[in-house]
Amino acid sequence: MKKISRFAIILICVLTINIISLNWSTNNQTVYATTIANSRYMSLISDRIDLYGGNVMIVEDNGTVTALGYGNDHGELDVNQWKDIVAISTGGNSTVGLKKDGTVVATGDNSEGQCNVSDWTDIVQVQTSYDNTVGLKKDGTVVFAGSNSYGQCNVSDWTDIVQVANAGHYTIGLKRDGTVIGTGKKDLQFGTFSIGNWKNIVQISSDGEYIVGLKENGTVVGTGKNAYSYGQLGIDEWTDIVGIEIGSKRTIGLKKDGTLIATNIQYEEPLDLRQYVNIVAVGPVCSWSYVFAIKSDGTVITNIDDKNIKNGLSGIKINSLNATLLTNDALKNKTLESFNAAYNEIEKLPNETIKEYLLAQLKTTGIVKVTTISLNKTTGSLIVGGTDTLIKSIAPLDATYRDVIWASSDNNIATVDNIGKVTAVSKGSATITVTTVDGRKLAKCNYTVTNFDSTVVIPPVVTKIDLTKVSNGSVMIGDKVFELSYANDPKNNNEITSIIISGGLIYIKDFLGNWIDNITGKIVESSTIKI
């Protein structure tokens, strides 16, 4: 049995039930939800190692399970054919594995029905003991299989659960609001467990004789009996704790500086923690002497003296460590920067099991990533002074971050503003690009800018306007209609004889041969309009 805590797999997968993105009513609750994610920042990694007795189970990056040990009387080590596993739990004579699709497999002793989990779905955490198995679903409810002799499996009415701890004769649940509930045996030998008043808890752990809870401020609380005077609950002065793990006679705390702290370091078998540095997750604790942990380089470290197990661990490295850490950051912070950092690191993973699983958990941030961007044209032409507006299209339509950056390859030729309006400055060629902030997706349009050529005749469709009847008129050139407004002599039937375009403006020639600016209505010199 995994001595329960394992930071539960809810770091990543239980966030599917929105422990971060809850629309809670107060800012404090929102901050608290973030703390829950932060305190379990290595759960998916630490849940990949478990031990019971002399057996150690390790989930490899490829989703297979390596079993090290000697006791296989009930087939508890028969995990060689398992695939797509993301978390493991072993207890007594049985082993259960959580698959990336939320289903569960089991092997070993099934005398109490503890392996009857084949129909479970949408599971995000599993915990097995010697005679029962508990599963946390992504909707915050809990399912069970096996013995219920002490009422330890009376969990069918539980809701809003974000972590479970299976201690055999009782089950503990951490609720989304930071309180803790429990069911099952309360043996008077160890005293009544006082968890009803706990608040602001972000992680729980239990070993059957006592329960500890990590608070959002980095302190730890405990209840139960300091069995055999080992002082498992000597945790009152602990601070800066980000993870907890317990054995039957010792409590281990992971500090935010990557070191470990423990109760009863000098009792019976001294526990030397000096080798435990740069730790990112503390794994299972065997009784009072053996501690497993994962270092920041992905290697597994332990003080166990069994050569078979030590040799087996020496060749194992959790290469998905960095991707998992970054995924947690994205789940915690829910920013574009953290999302892209995790996404890019996950995409580098060679193995599809963990890769697909982390991508699926990344989606629970609610962030929809930009996949493509395009423009309404890829080429264009303008006369100096002319303008054009490019229209962007971003896919998918529900992408969360749709901000873009417009740029010109040569602002001396053409400029572009922050809405895609292009202005021709001088003769030449320039490329206008638009780049998404999310994912750096790019689209471009190549523009050719020319000067006005007076030798080019642009015949208007409308060539006459009766100025005695209208003070404003319009003329169509090509497929564009231009409005004309200018001073006129109502006594004369002025006839438009010529129209030219220069610098984006329209000039008309009246029957007297004067060039008139259609905006001001004033006569202009022909040299002004570069005829």
Side-chain angles (χ1 to χ4, degrees):
M1 180 172 57
K2 183 182 282 185
K3 311 315 179 203
I4 315 302
S5 163
R6 217 74 50 248
F7 305 139
I9 199 163
I10 50 178
L11 150 74
I12 292 181
C13 56
V14 91
L15 291 176
T16 309
I17 63 174
N18 299 321
I19 64 174
I20 287 183
S21 60
L22 295 170
N23 292 320
W24 289 350
S25 58
T26 68
N27 289 335
N28 288 338
Q29 287 172 316
T30 302
V31 171
Y32 173 70
T34 301
T35 306
I36 286 181
N38 186 47
S39 71
R40 303 191 183 103
Y41 72 108
M42 273 309 301
S43 69
L44 186 60
I45 295 297
S46 57
D47 261 348
R48 289 167 63 176
I49 304 178
D50 200 9
L51 63 83
Y52 187 86
N55 297 333
V56 179
M57 305 286 186
I58 304 162
V59 179
E60 304 264 14
D61 271 344
N62 61 6
T64 62
V65 180
T66 295
L68 305 172
Y70 309 97
N72 194 31
D73 295 339
H74 297 81
E76 56 266 43
L77 297 183
D78 295 341
V79 296
N80 294 335
Q81 301 302 313
W82 286 4
K83 297 179 179 180
D84 298 331
I85 304 298
V86 294
I88 198 80
S89 179
T90 183
N93 299 315
S94 59
T95 302
V96 296
L98 176 63
K99 304 190 70 173
K100 68 178 181 181
D101 63 0
T103 60
V104 181
V105 292
T107 186
D109 180 22
N110 195 31
S111 58
E112 296 292 338
Q114 61 266 47
C115 292
N116 296 336
V117 295
S118 59
D119 60 342
W120 287 6
T121 58
D122 297 327
I123 303 299
V124 296
Q125 182 200 357
V126 288
Q127 288 276 293
T128 190
S129 68
Y130 45 83
D131 63 0
N132 63 74
T133 302
V134 177
L136 174 63
K137 295 176 70 72
K138 70 180 181 181
D139 64 359
T141 60
V142 182
V143 293
F144 71 91
S147 173
N148 193 29
S149 57
Y150 293 95
Q152 65 266 45
C153 292
N154 294 336
V155 295
S156 58
D157 60 345
W158 285 10
T159 58
D160 295 328
I161 304 298
V162 295
Q163 183 195 355
V164 290
N166 181 357
H169 288 167
Y170 62 87
T171 302
I172 305 299
L174 172 61
K175 293 181 69 69
R176 187 174 60 191
D177 62 2
T179 60
V180 180
I181 59 176
T183 183
K185 183 178 180 180
K186 296 181 177 68
D187 197 320
L188 294 178
Q189 177 185 356
F190 307 121
T192 300
F193 294 123
S194 302
I195 58 176
N197 295 324
W198 285 7
K199 296 180 180 179
N200 301 326
I201 303 299
V202 295
Q203 184 194 346
I204 53 176
S205 183
S206 178
D207 190 65
E209 298 174 346
Y210 65 108
I211 304 168
V212 294
L214 174 63
K215 302 191 71 172
E216 63 174 324
N217 62 2
T219 61
V220 182
V221 293
T223 185
K225 184 181 177 71
N226 283 336
Y228 315 114
S229 300
Y230 289 145
Q232 301 98 313
L233 297 181
I235 53 180
D236 295 341
E237 297 182 358
W238 284 10
T239 58
D240 295 329
I241 305 300
V242 296
I244 50 176
E245 187 62 85
I246 63 177
S248 61
K249 300 176 179 65
R250 199 186 299 278
T251 302
I252 305 292
L254 171 61
K255 295 180 70 68
K256 66 181 182 181
D257 64 1
T259 61
L260 299 184
I261 187 173
T263 59
N264 287 314
I265 290 183
Q266 300 303 324
Y267 187 83
E268 288 191 358
E269 297 186 29
L271 181 58
D272 187 357
L273 295 176
R274 287 176 296 179
Q275 65 174 319
Y276 293 92
V277 294
N278 299 320
I279 303 300
V280 293
V282 58
V285 179
C286 180
S287 189
W288 59 82
S289 298
Y290 303 136
V291 180
F292 288 77
I294 299 95
K295 301 189 69 172
S296 58
D297 62 1
T299 57
V300 180
I301 182 174
T302 181
N303 59 347
I304 198 167
D305 54 9
D306 185 287
K307 291 183 178 180
N308 177 50
I309 293 177
K310 292 191 74 170
N311 291 336
L313 290 175
S314 64
I316 294 176
K317 185 174 182 179
I318 300 175
N319 294 314
S320 59
L321 176 65
N322 193 42
T324 306
L325 288 170
L326 290 173
T327 299
N328 170 74
D329 288 341
L331 292 169
K332 179 182 66 175
N333 300 321
K334 299 183 70 177
T335 63
L336 177 61
E337 292 77 13
S338 62
F339 182 93
N340 280 335
Y343 183 89
N344 294 335
E345 192 66 23
I346 293 170
E347 283 294 311
K348 298 176 184 178
L349 296 177
N351 178 264
E352 292 301 317
T353 296
I354 300 300
K355 179 178 180 178
E356 290 177 9
Y357 191 74
L358 291 179
L359 286 174
Q361 305 319 312
L362 201 57
K363 290 181 180 179
T364 66
T365 60
I367 296 175
V368 179
K369 190 171 179 61
V370 171
T371 56
T372 62
I373 186 172
S374 60
L375 292 171
N376 59 316
K377 62 174 68 175
T378 57
T379 60
S381 59
L382 285 171
I383 296 174
V384 172
T387 62
D388 189 19
T389 300
L390 293 170
I391 301 173
K392 68 181 186 299
S393 297
I394 294 176
L397 294 177
D398 60 345
T400 304
Y401 294 96
R402 304 177 64 84
D403 295 340
V404 297
I405 300 172
W406 293 92
S408 171
S409 62
D410 192 340
N411 286 320
N412 293 319
I413 303 298
T415 61
V416 62
D417 65 13
N418 60 5
I419 62 171
K421 183 178 180 180
V422 181
T423 301
V425 178
S426 63
K427 183 179 180 179
S429 298
T431 299
I432 304 299
T433 59
V434 58
T435 306
T436 62
V437 174
D438 176 11
R440 309 298 297 176
K441 306 298 181 181
L442 181 144
K444 62 183 179 180
C445 181
N446 298 314
Y447 275 94
T448 300
V449 179
T450 58
N451 292 320
F452 172 72
D453 186 351
S454 61
T455 64
V456 177
V457 178
I458 309 176
V461 175
V462 177
T463 57
K464 282 188 178 182
I465 295 179
D466 187 350
L467 298 182
T468 62
K469 297 180 179 180
V470 294
S471 60
N472 298 305
S474 63
V475 63
M476 178 176 287
I477 301 177
D479 60 353
K480 295 184 178 180
V481 177
F482 299 92
E483 296 297 324
L484 309 179
S485 177
Y486 48 90
N488 61 84
D489 181 359
K491 295 181 180 180
N492 297 317
N493 257 345
N494 293 337
E495 181 179 67
I496 299 174
T497 59
S498 301
I499 295 178
I500 66 169
I501 301 175
S502 178
L505 299 177
I506 301 172
Y507 298 87
I508 62 174
K509 181 180 283 189
D510 65 14
F511 76 108
L512 297 176
N514 298 316
W515 286 103
I516 302 174
D517 181 341
N518 84 296
I519 300 298
T520 64
K522 295 181 179 179
I523 296 175
V524 296
E525 296 293 332
S526 60
S527 59
T528 304
I529 55 174
K530 301 178 182 179
I531 299 176

